[in-house]
Amino acid sequence: MIKQSNIFEVYESNEGKRRQLFTVNLTPTQNVYGEKLVEQDGAEYREWDAFKSKLAASILKGSPNIGIRKNDAVLYLGSASGTTASHVSDIIGSEGIIFAVDISPRVMRDMVFLCYNRKNISPVLADSNKTDMLKERMSAVDVVYQDVAQKNQVGIFLKNTELFLKKDGYALLAVKARSIDVTKQPKQIFKDARQKLENDLTIIDYRELEPFQKDHCMFICKKNSKG
Ligand SMILES: C[S@@+](CC[C@H](N)C(=O)[O-])C[C@H]1O[C@@H](n2cnc3c(N)ncnc32)[C@H](O)[C@@H]1O
């Protein structure tokens, strides 16, 4: 039985010990990455795989609020071919918009195909570290979501939240420890990241993402008067 979860526009089922997340499919009959489609009471739901999506992993690890709502404008840095972005697209609905930024032309090709069906995603082939280029193609957004495997992940995130995130907006950062420093313990890297984030943003939630995603964590932040 699929039912509303505690998070806006996110649904769940509980079979035995297994909790499974879903979003309502914005493009019925079409799946994106091989996920299961389930019909119930006239609605079609897409299974959301936490082993393929750090945002789903963060919810299953207990995040009580992901800060993404219907009709939001979202800047998504590191969208790849759209696995997680497609679920964000379901959450924000047809009146919302995602600017889906990725540096890789190969994954952006798949993203462009996805955008033919999902009209609320706008593909942007760009380096998220080069905000001068992004500035020409972006408006202010309600949410910044970042998942880029770069050494200076935190710096890129802070630059983009400062420039594009509205006051009181939410900013989600998936940190991949191994991309920052393979020689350091992930926990130390997460601690260092926290210190840098706290200078500019208010951290409202933090989750380590094992067993779904090894050596990753998620910070959910809010831009307030400090930002
Ligand atoms: C782990 S994948 C993202 C997966 C995706 N967020 C999801 O959950 O479906 C990381 C992506 O970051 C992109 N990337 C790496 N450096 C980047 C940069 N400087 N600007 C934009 N994208 C970048 C890579 O091309 C890759 O597609």
Side-chain angles (χ1 to χ4, degrees):
M1 173 78 175
I2 300 174
K3 57 182 189 358
Q4 174 72 53
S5 77
N6 291 335
I7 294 181
F8 291 111
E9 314 303 331
V10 178
Y11 298 79
E12 65 181 12
S13 69
N14 288 286
E15 280 166 29
K17 280 192 178 160
R18 183 169 173 263
R19 185 174 168 222
Q20 176 61 55
L21 299 178
F22 297 87
T23 54
V24 174
N25 195 356
L26 188 66
T27 58
T29 74
Q30 292 167 351
N31 64 0
V32 177
Y33 55 98
E35 75 283 11
K36 235 205 277 178
L37 303 179
V38 182
E39 275 206 38
Q40 186 185 289
D41 303 330
E44 187 180 279
Y45 298 86
R46 298 169 55 228
E47 252 189 25
W48 192 0
D49 186 345
F51 287 94
K52 293 185 175 159
S53 169
K54 286 148 214 157
L55 186 53
S58 189
I59 295 171
L60 287 186
K61 288 301 300 279
S63 291
N65 174 14
I66 59 169
I68 308 174
R69 300 196 183 194
K70 219 178 186 56
N71 303 337
D72 272 354
V74 179
L75 171 58
Y76 192 128
L77 304 167
S79 58
S81 49
T83 300
T84 300
S86 67
H87 289 285
V88 176
S89 153
D90 287 342
I91 292 170
I92 61 171
S94 53
E95 302 298 312
I97 179 77
I98 301 173
F99 300 102
V101 179
D102 205 285
I103 200 172
S104 158
R106 191 183 55 77
V107 297
M108 202 35 89
R109 265 201 301 273
D110 293 338
M111 176 54 90
V112 168
F113 283 118
L114 186 65
C115 296
Y116 284 133
N117 299 323
R118 291 184 173 263
K119 305 289 182 204
N120 65 357
I121 310 181
S122 174
V124 182
L125 177 62
D127 181 346
S128 51
N129 200 19
K130 299 195 173 146
T131 43
D132 280 350
M133 311 272 275
L134 285 179
K135 249 195 265 179
E136 291 162 18
R137 300 153 81 175
M138 215 60 64
S139 59
V141 293
D142 305 292
V143 178
V144 172
Y145 182 92
Q146 181 179 302
D147 178 16
V148 300
Q150 288 283 344
K151 193 168 172 54
N152 62 336
Q153 290 163 52
V154 180
I156 293 174
F157 182 70
L158 289 173
K159 232 170 22 177
N160 278 277
T161 51
E162 190 188 346
L163 266 175
F164 300 117
L165 187 61
K166 292 178 189 167
K167 187 168 172 294
D168 293 325
Y170 286 87
L172 292 83
L173 173 65
V175 175
K176 180 178 183 177
R178 298 280 165 215
S179 301
I180 294 179
D181 190 339
V182 282
T183 66
K184 270 194 186 165
Q185 284 300 316
K187 277 206 187 297
Q188 184 58 47
I189 290 175
F190 301 154
K191 202 171 152 201
D192 295 346
R194 171 184 286 276
Q195 276 176 358
K196 287 183 191 156
L197 292 172
E198 276 173 345
N199 290 331
D200 293 350
L201 298 163
T202 302
I203 298 170
I204 59 164
D205 190 45
Y206 165 80
R207 304 281 152 178
E208 292 178 17
L209 303 184
E210 307 234 8
F212 303 107
Q213 313 274 339
K214 192 171 170 352
D215 299 334
H216 282 80
C217 74
M218 180 73 76
F219 287 99
I220 303 182
C221 314
K222 214 166 172 201
K223 186 171 190 172
N224 52 20
S225 48
K226 282 199 272 176

